[in-house]
Amino acid sequence: MTKKNKNLLVRPFLKWAGGKRQLLPEIEKYLPKSNDIKNYFEPFVGGGALFLNQQYSKVTINDFNGQLTNAYDVVKNNVHDLIELLKEHENNNTSEYYYDLRAWDRTNKLENKSRLEQAARFIYLNKTGFNGLFRVNSQNQINVPYGKYKNPAIVNEKVLLNVSQYLNEANVQILNGDYADAVKNASSGDFVYFDPPYAPVSDDKSSFVGYTLNGFSLDDQIKLSEVFKELDKKGVKLMLSNSDVPFIRDLYKDFKDTTKIVQATRNINSNAAGRGKVGEVIVMNY
């Protein structure tokens, strides 16, 4: 399922809040053997750190964020034109230019742009916006301020080319929709990694609720645990990352014997309790 010799240039091409790059050494300790995996599913793909690192050969990725999944699709199918357009953005990069492009979703320009133009804008805003955040207001308009970085890596040409090559060679299926729909065909012998927006770590239940357009409520966390249990009954191998809080531990108490606790660093949180070293759970059914 994984390449014997991984391509080290196949790695995330986006900055992503909650990304798993720093946790990969821990996660890799607990992954199923690649020879035991028929198909791999990542229904909350985000920056894609795990699937790009593992370079599985039969992969379905999904995210609710259509701008994100469009970027993956354009990297897969039109990477050379994407690189050229990103170079234009890099040459024009200023605070004023950033806010002009950001305003596309405030002036109805965005819907009239090609998928290529939308993807290049998304990547440019990601690389130059504050902390690589994807955050929208109630009108689904990106509202992240300009990051004021001296030399942002807007065009990482080698990474984009190699990720494109991998997405094509592995025929990675890219979906944009509900995570439950993305895994509905998973069956015995398949492996699903869930990396949802995390449950809040503070008592007010309002901190760090996620990266999707509409957030991820506690009811959504309950629904996800039910999907997890249904897939478990089908013989699907499962792994899930989330906050190490009583609410999550209780949802997955049936898997407590195969749940691991790890420490991760979080810098993006509306509440100070969720910053710094924070406990995370890795729930598995194997």
Side-chain angles (χ1 to χ4, degrees):
M1 272 291 295
T2 57
K3 290 184 177 180
K4 291 183 180 179
N5 298 309
K6 293 180 184 177
N7 182 344
L8 298 181
L9 288 171
V10 176
R11 59 178 188 257
F13 57 89
L14 295 166
K15 298 162 66 176
W16 205 252
K20 287 297 171 288
R21 292 186 73 171
Q22 61 156 322
L23 271 184
L24 283 177
E26 286 296 320
I27 291 174
E28 284 189 304
K29 292 178 185 177
Y30 308 115
L31 291 174
K33 292 181 180 179
S34 59
N35 291 338
D36 295 336
I37 300 171
K38 292 194 302 185
N39 300 287
Y40 175 77
F41 297 81
E42 194 165 333
F44 299 93
V45 70
L50 184 58
F51 95 94
L52 292 173
N53 181 71
Q54 293 305 113
Q55 294 165 38
Y56 294 119
S57 59
K58 297 178 180 179
V59 177
T60 297
I61 61 172
N62 174 79
D63 206 278
F64 186 70
N65 183 337
Q67 295 190 54
L68 171 64
T69 56
N70 178 61
Y72 277 107
D73 189 70
V74 171
V75 169
K76 179 180 179 181
N77 295 303
N78 199 6
V79 70
H80 295 287
D81 288 341
L82 175 65
I83 288 168
E84 291 308 307
L85 190 48
L86 284 172
K87 287 178 179 178
E88 289 185 28
H89 291 332
E90 183 175 58
N91 291 335
N92 289 294
N93 179 40
T94 63
S95 174
E96 182 180 6
Y97 186 77
Y98 174 90
Y99 287 112
D100 282 346
L101 263 66
R102 198 189 74 167
W104 283 7
D105 56 16
R106 291 161 170 77
T107 57
N108 298 321
K109 280 187 177 181
L110 187 62
E111 61 192 38
N112 295 316
K113 297 294 184 179
S114 68
R115 297 188 68 181
L116 169 65
E117 291 170 315
Q118 291 184 33
R121 168 187 180 264
F122 180 78
I123 295 171
Y124 167 72
L125 295 182
N126 172 265
K127 293 302 183 74
T128 55
F130 179 72
N131 264 356
L133 282 171
F134 179 84
R135 187 184 64 200
V136 296
N137 60 23
S138 59
Q139 285 78 46
N140 283 342
Q141 299 163 342
I142 295 177
N143 62 358
V144 178
Y146 186 60
K148 300 180 182 178
Y149 302 114
K150 286 186 177 180
N151 295 297
I154 297 169
V155 189
N156 197 331
E157 187 168 351
K158 289 184 178 179
V159 168
L160 289 167
L161 289 172
N162 281 274
V163 170
S164 179
Q165 181 178 349
Y166 162 66
L167 294 176
N168 281 282
E169 287 180 350
N171 195 25
V172 174
Q173 184 178 14
I174 303 164
L175 304 179
N176 168 223
D178 183 76
Y179 69 89
D181 290 335
V183 298
K184 65 183 179 183
N185 293 324
S187 60
S188 179
D190 293 340
F191 176 45
V192 178
Y193 172 57
F194 291 106
D195 184 26
Y198 279 15
V201 297
S202 63
D203 292 336
D204 65 8
K205 295 184 171 64
S206 64
S207 68
F208 208 77
V209 293
Y211 333 117
T212 64
L213 292 174
N214 299 312
F216 205 74
S217 69
L218 298 185
D219 285 341
D220 290 324
Q221 296 285 358
I222 294 170
K223 178 189 172 186
L224 173 57
S225 72
E226 293 168 351
V227 171
F228 189 99
K229 292 167 187 175
E230 286 301 314
L231 290 172
D232 175 59
K233 292 176 183 177
K234 293 168 63 176
V236 179
K237 292 182 174 66
L238 303 166
M239 177 185 281
L240 174 140
S241 302
N242 214 314
S243 305
D244 180 22
V245 293
F247 174 71
I248 294 299
R249 286 203 185 195
D250 185 62
L251 285 181
Y252 297 94
K253 60 186 177 184
D254 293 345
F255 307 95
K256 63 181 180 180
D257 291 340
T258 48
T259 294
K260 304 296 181 182
I261 310 300
V262 297
Q263 294 295 314
T265 301
R266 276 195 214 149
N267 297 317
I268 300 171
N269 200 305
S270 60
N271 188 297
R275 301 191 196 115
K277 287 289 185 181
V278 179
E280 298 191 9
V281 295
I282 300 178
V283 181
M284 295 161 282
N285 70 338
Y286 51 87

